[in-house]
Amino acid sequence: MSSLETRLYKGDQAKLVLENEVFQSVFDDIEKDLIESWKNIPSSPKHADDRERIHLALSMLGKVKASLVTTLETGKLARVELEYQRSLPQKVAEWISPC
């Protein structure tokens, strides 16, 4: 598989994950649970580590989603480039052939 085909495949797989109802539900539930936990932690200095841990978990959750979205967008660009590459010989043939 070429690099473009690999990016296209990975983009398609990322799309399946991002559009999957179970993934969306689980992802949203985890995010809500983390936010709720963060809200319920006392603001005292002795709980700073707990707040930091939850902040880190929320940050990583966001990075997972952002990475999937980036992979999806890269796949979309790969699809456009592949379609262009596949149509280029036909366009050249039409251009050089007599009318």
Side-chain angles (χ1 to χ4, degrees):
M1 237 188 320
S2 75
S3 175
L4 285 175
E5 290 167 337
T6 299
R7 288 186 292 179
L8 176 62
Y9 173 78
K10 288 180 178 182
D12 288 344
Q13 294 300 303
K15 181 179 180 181
L16 290 173
V17 171
L18 288 167
E19 292 179 352
N20 182 284
E21 292 177 29
V22 174
F23 173 81
Q24 290 172 0
S25 176
V26 168
F27 191 92
D28 291 344
D29 289 347
I30 291 170
E31 188 174 43
K32 286 175 189 172
D33 286 348
L34 287 169
I35 290 170
E36 194 60 36
S37 294
W38 180 72
K39 286 179 182 178
N40 292 326
I41 294 176
S43 60
S44 67
K46 74 178 188 175
H47 293 98
D49 287 344
D50 293 334
R51 285 190 306 276
E52 180 64 26
R53 180 182 51 80
I54 291 174
H55 179 271
L56 180 60
L58 277 168
S59 177
M60 294 307 297
L61 195 61
K63 287 181 180 188
V64 167
K65 194 168 199 175
S67 182
L68 285 166
V69 169
T70 298
T71 302
L72 170 62
E73 295 301 321
T74 300
K76 287 179 182 179
L77 291 173
R79 181 180 311 281
V80 169
E81 192 170 338
L82 276 170
E83 288 172 2
Y84 174 77
Q85 286 179 0
R86 290 175 181 154
S87 69
L88 193 58
Q90 181 182 1
K91 289 178 183 178
V92 169
E94 289 170 2
W95 183 74
I96 61 172
S97 69
C99 294

